[in-house]
Amino acid sequence: MKKLEKSLVIGAGTMGSGIAQAFAVAGLEVTLYDLSPGVPEKASASIEKSLQKLASKNKIDSALVPQIMGRIHPAENLDAASGADIVIEVIVENIRAKTDLFEKLDAMCPEHTLLVSNTSSLSVTDMANATRAERRPKVAGMHFFNPVPLMKLVEVVRTPFTSDETFEAVWKLAEDCGKSPVETKDTPGFLFNRLILPYLNEAMWAVYEGVGRIDDIDKAMILGGNMPIGPLALADLVGLDVCLHAMSAICEETGEPKYRVCPLNKQMVRAGYLGRKSGVGFYDYRGDAKVPTDLAVFRFS
């Protein structure tokens, strides 16, 4: 397997910029592309601020910041795919969009290029099936967690086609990024989301059914379960829209009633109550202090 030296990150949002930063810290040349003009440049500026913040906390040597930034190259097109050793997509969580992209990348990239996805819940096998048979062994999942610069976990997802060589290369890259990878098969939700999302969903059901108040539900799990953060506060941090999409994908794929999405999650997303990103979710973050949100506007069972 060719040494991974040149990478292409497709999608320059929060996750994409974090992954670009991680790859650059690992020593890879990174081309950062996004469909929206100007977004890669904004992401590059955000990465520099992130690195400077890490340097101020002595997490990295401040002298390395210019070197790391010198490896990140914002781009307005996908031309870099023709010379990439690895391409990671961090686009919208829509399987059609992802399979269309994989089909396009398969035609653009050299034979040795690895194609990986940062999806949190969609089938990497479906993405591999959008490529030629010769490419499928070089397709895998590489699921980072937000915020990428701080979170240590990376799920390395193996499809039925993924070769040992590809798996080992992606695993090593995760380690080079300073992460602690785990192996998971290509199943709905992979490993972490398969376990955490039903927990968050059940906490939403507890609110919906009037079992307890928002702050009491979180307090119970922090004090009784020794959790660092309550499930509803965590759902707000993840994003209620992300929770809804991922839980719906698991439910649809498995057909298991136990993964039924809480109606309150759907209602809140429709109303724009997305959590921290929108300023209000199970908690209201718009004032000086975080306070439980009055959800009386929603229909309860």
Side-chain angles (χ1 to χ4, degrees):
M1 163 107 30
K2 186 181 184 299
K3 182 181 179 182
L4 302 182
E5 298 176 323
K6 296 181 179 180
S7 65
L8 171 60
V9 178
I10 303 177
T14 300
M15 288 299 295
S17 61
I19 293 170
Q21 176 177 324
F23 281 7
V25 168
L28 275 69
E29 293 291 323
V30 182
T31 298
L32 183 57
Y33 168 77
D34 195 280
L35 270 176
S36 301
V39 171
E41 288 78 11
K42 291 179 181 178
S44 184
S46 176
I47 292 169
E48 186 167 14
K49 288 181 182 178
S50 173
L51 291 169
Q52 290 171 344
K53 186 175 182 179
L54 291 172
S56 71
K57 296 181 178 181
N58 296 317
K59 300 289 186 180
I60 61 171
D61 187 342
S62 60
L64 295 177
V65 173
Q67 296 178 35
I68 296 169
M69 289 305 303
R71 300 187 190 111
I72 299 173
H73 316 286
E76 297 181 353
N77 54 57
L78 289 175
D79 288 351
S82 63
D85 300 315
I86 183 168
V87 180
I88 184 167
E89 69 79 16
V90 202
I91 66 171
V92 63
E93 281 287 270
N94 177 281
I95 192 61
R96 179 62 184 271
K98 291 181 186 291
T99 54
D100 286 351
L101 177 60
F102 268 66
E103 182 178 9
K104 184 176 183 179
L105 290 170
D106 184 33
M108 296 177 68
C109 294
E111 293 300 317
H112 73 274
T113 305
L114 306 185
L115 301 183
V116 301
S117 172
N118 182 61
T119 182
S120 61
S121 59
L122 298 178
S123 171
V124 183
T125 303
D126 282 346
M127 299 175 214
N129 277 329
T131 70
R132 293 166 296 139
E134 298 83 356
R135 179 79 64 184
R136 289 172 197 160
K138 300 180 178 68
V139 175
M142 192 179 192
H143 180 213
F144 287 81
F145 289 78
N146 189 36
V148 176
L150 302 180
M151 297 294 282
K152 287 290 189 180
L153 180 62
V154 170
E155 291 180 318
V156 181
V157 184
R158 187 194 288 268
T159 78
F161 309 121
T162 306
S163 70
D164 290 342
E165 192 176 34
T166 296
F167 179 85
E168 289 162 8
V170 176
W171 183 281
K172 183 179 185 303
L173 175 56
E175 291 182 327
D176 290 344
C177 290
K179 308 305 182 184
S180 296
V182 296
E183 177 179 358
T184 176
K185 297 295 191 295
D186 186 23
T187 57
F190 309 135
L191 185 57
F192 179 78
N193 280 333
R194 178 71 173 264
L195 300 176
I196 199 68
L197 285 171
Y199 166 60
L200 303 186
N201 191 53
E202 192 61 31
M204 296 181 204
W205 275 105
V207 175
Y208 189 69
E209 295 173 347
V211 176
R213 296 192 303 266
I214 291 169
D215 48 347
D216 282 344
I217 291 168
D218 277 355
K219 183 178 180 181
M221 295 313 300
I222 291 170
L223 299 181
N226 202 28
M227 301 293 187
I229 184 173
L232 299 171
L234 179 56
D236 277 355
L237 181 61
V238 171
L240 299 185
D241 53 338
V242 175
C243 292
L244 174 59
H245 187 278
M247 195 68 184
S248 298
I250 294 174
C251 185
E252 181 179 355
E253 180 74 16
T254 63
E256 288 285 348
K258 65 181 179 181
Y259 296 123
R260 180 190 171 204
V261 176
C262 177
L264 180 58
N265 192 177
K266 298 178 182 179
Q267 293 167 18
M268 292 177 73
V269 169
R270 288 193 195 105
Y273 287 51
L274 307 182
R276 285 183 178 269
K277 69 174 75 176
S278 67
V280 60
F282 285 100
Y283 293 89
D284 193 323
Y285 303 90
R286 295 170 294 185
D288 295 332
K290 180 185 81 173
V291 295
T293 302
D294 182 357
L295 299 180
V297 294
F298 296 105
R299 177 179 59 81
F300 284 72
S301 60

